[in-house]
Amino acid sequence: MPTAHASGAWREDELHLAPVAGLVIHHMERWRQENIDPSLTFSRFSMDILGQIGREEIQLSTEVLRPGRTIELIETTAVIAGRATIRARAWLLQNGDTSSVVGEEFDALPRFEECEDVTGELGWPGGFIASVKAAQAPGRRPGRNKIWITSELPLVEGEEAQPLAEFCKLLDTANGVAVRQKPEEWMYPNVDLTFHIFREPQGIQMGLDTRVAFGANGIGLTSSVVHDAEGPVGTLNQSLTLRKL
C-alpha cells in the first residue's frame, strides 16, 4: 500500500513512478535471489506504463521469459485496482572478472557536497517530490541540468529494501529536473523508463546529467547519465508525450 510520500506530480489520485519503479526493482531483486543463479546480475531494466498509476494497493508477480545459464530475461507485472499498470522487464547477465579492462567515457559530475542545495525548489507538487533532497551543479538551463537527488525515507516500511532498489527509487525524478517548458503550461509525462547499468550503484545519492529534447511532432525524450557517489553507473532514457494545457 502506498503512503502520501509516493504521490505523483500530475494528479492527486496517482502515484509518482519513481517509488513504484523502486518497488518493482525491489521485488525483482528479491525474486532473483530466491529463483535465479546468483552468478547472474542485472544489466537493464525497462518499464512500460500502461495507464494511470493509481494510489491503491500494488500487486506484483514475476515470470521468466527467457531462461538460460548465462543470460536470462524476466518480466514483472504491477497490477493496480485489478488492471496491469506497469510491465517491467530485466536482463540478467553472467558475472565475470573484467577488472583488467574497466573503463568508460562519461563526463564526471561535481560531488553532492560541492553543489548548491535546491531542496524544495524543484518546482513540482506531490508527496514524493516533497520527500527528496536535491543539490544542483552550476549551468542549469531549459532542457539541461546536472543535479543530485537523494531521499532518506525507506522504500518499504518495516522491511529492508534491496540496495539496488533504494537507489533506483529515484530514477524517475530525471524527467522533472531539466524542464524545457513550465509544467503549469505543458504536460510531458513519460510512457516508459529504460535503465542500462554497467556496474551496480552504491548508496542513496543519485547524480543525473540530464538532457531533454522536444520534437515538432508531440514526442520528447529525457536522456540521463546516472551517477552514484563514485561516478557513472549507466544511462536512463524516457519517452515523452507532449501536451499543451
Side-chain angles (χ1 to χ4, degrees), residues 8 30 59 69 97 125 130 137 155 160 168-169 228 237:
R30 188 171 59 181
Q59 298 176 323
R69 290 184 300 173
D97 183 4
L155 178 62
E160 185 175 351
C168 289
K169 72 184 181 187
D228 67 5
N237 285 285

Side-chain angles (χ1 to χ4, degrees), residues 71-203:
I71 298 173
E72 290 209 346
L73 178 66
I74 64 173
E75 181 178 79
T76 294
T77 302
V79 174
I80 301 176
R83 180 172 58 85
T85 302
I86 296 172
R87 291 196 185 277
R89 291 186 174 186
W91 281 108
L92 294 117
L93 307 183
Q94 181 71 50
N95 270 319
D97 183 4
T98 54
S99 56
S100 63
V101 292
V102 166
E104 43 85 10
E105 291 296 330
F106 297 112
D107 293 336
L109 280 183
R111 299 183 67 82
F112 189 104
E113 55 271 19
E114 298 170 345
C115 297
E116 178 187 359
D117 185 356
V118 291
T119 300
E121 301 175 21
L122 294 177
W124 291 91
F128 177 72
I129 295 301
S131 74
V132 304
K133 298 178 181 179
Q136 184 175 290
R140 180 181 182 181
R141 59 183 185 272
R144 185 76 175 93
N145 199 12
K146 299 178 180 181
I147 193 168
W148 288 92
I149 303 290
T150 190
S151 174
E152 296 177 358
L153 283 178
L155 178 62
V156 183
E157 187 176 12
E159 180 178 343
E160 185 175 351
Q162 302 297 329
L164 177 60
E166 284 287 4
F167 182 85
C168 289
K169 72 184 181 187
L170 302 167
L171 282 172
D172 192 57
T173 59
N175 191 36
V177 299
V179 295
R180 183 164 286 282
Q181 294 292 333
K182 294 179 180 179
E184 313 90 76
E185 299 175 3
W186 283 84
M187 287 185 68
Y188 32 91
N190 51 300
V191 298
D192 68 352
L193 179 155
T194 304
F195 182 37
H196 287 88
I197 52 179
F198 59 86
R199 69 172 178 85
E200 186 163 326
Q202 305 295 316

